[in-house]
Amino acid sequence: MGVQVIGAGLPRTGTSSLKSALEQLLGEPCYHMFEVQKNPDHGILWWAALEGDDASRAKALHGYGAAVDWPASLFWRELIAENPDAIVVLSHRGDAETWWNSVDKTVWAAMRRPDIEQAFAEFNVRMRRKAGLGEDWDTPAGAMAYYDRVYAEVVARVPAEKLVIWQASQGWEPLCEALGLPVPELDFFHQNTTAEFRERAGFDGE
């Protein structure tokens, strides 16, 4: 059936909560960076995908009904072309500064760690290259300008009838409306806070 929902939002825009919500709504798994961490062979597939191997990307996403977060969301343009009936969810944090305050302490902090494996460091370099992040990726101004560019490009390129601009605070309703599904009778998922990310990544005490 292919991917029904394409997440075009950046990391730290509620993608973990969105993953759980889409799995609840679709009854199918949703791809997220967590999948790379759980499946070592997926790192090899995305490495190849980042070098232009579409077949490797397709293999990594096989069996998933949705895809959000890096590395999958880096390919939102390709995924839209391959899945023309899918809806696109642009998850966001309201403004670039709010996003930076989160990503600086989490994803960016992990990418700048000197103790990560060299192979993973190179994987991060390849993701930044695919993302269009320049040498100023680790500066507030550079990162926030990138956030604004991604947001603007998605809004400009995705037809309005296919696009859901969404924040986690909005919960189920915008997603259910776009998918034509009833709102579940359970609280919305709010997961992977900054504190939870930092604890999982071993940043405690820093």
Side-chain angles (χ1 to χ4, degrees):
M1 188 174 185
V3 175
Q4 300 175 59
V5 180
I6 300 164
L10 297 176
R12 304 309 298 165
T13 59
T15 57
S16 179
S17 300
L18 181 58
K19 167 185 165 64
S20 294
L22 291 174
E23 289 178 338
Q24 173 72 30
L25 293 173
L26 300 175
E28 296 185 76
C30 174
Y31 207 94
H32 186 281
M33 177 61 85
F34 293 155
E35 304 302 304
V36 181
Q37 296 165 350
K38 292 190 300 185
N39 300 282
D41 59 314
H42 282 209
I44 298 171
L45 293 174
W46 286 110
W47 183 290
L50 290 165
E51 291 297 298
D53 185 349
D54 292 339
S56 290
R57 171 170 48 81
K59 186 174 181 180
L61 293 177
H62 179 71
Y64 290 85
V68 303
D69 201 68
W70 284 2
S73 64
L74 293 169
F75 297 87
W76 63 268
R77 301 167 194 82
E78 293 92 336
L79 290 172
I80 289 171
E82 295 164 0
N83 302 275
D85 294 329
I87 67 166
V88 178
V89 178
L90 176 55
S91 53
H92 68 104
R93 290 297 287 261
D95 60 78
E97 184 175 4
T98 301
W99 173 76
W100 167 254
N101 288 336
S102 175
V103 81
D104 175 48
K105 300 178 180 68
T106 53
V107 177
W108 260 231
M111 289 199 296
R112 66 173 74 103
R113 280 178 67 153
D115 59 330
I116 59 177
E117 298 181 34
Q118 182 58 38
F120 191 62
E122 178 60 26
F123 187 72
N124 284 332
V125 168
R126 290 174 184 232
M127 286 201 299
R128 292 199 298 270
R129 186 185 306 132
K130 173 65 176 175
L133 282 164
E135 294 300 319
D136 61 350
W137 70 273
D138 199 18
T139 68
M144 287 191 285
Y146 168 67
Y147 174 95
D148 287 335
R149 285 198 308 274
V150 171
Y151 186 98
E153 184 182 0
V154 174
V155 171
R157 292 188 57 168
V158 179
E161 66 273 16
K162 293 286 188 182
L163 180 62
V164 181
I165 300 175
W166 177 87
Q167 285 186 274
S169 61
Q170 294 177 274
W172 296 109
E173 283 77 6
L175 303 173
C176 293
E177 182 179 355
L179 291 167
L181 296 172
V183 176
E185 295 183 2
L186 74 163
D187 291 338
F188 190 75
F189 306 97
H190 291 285
Q191 301 173 339
N192 201 24
T193 65
T194 296
E196 290 169 344
F197 184 108
R198 290 180 65 81
E199 180 180 1
R200 188 174 61 253
F203 288 132
D204 284 358
E206 294 186 8

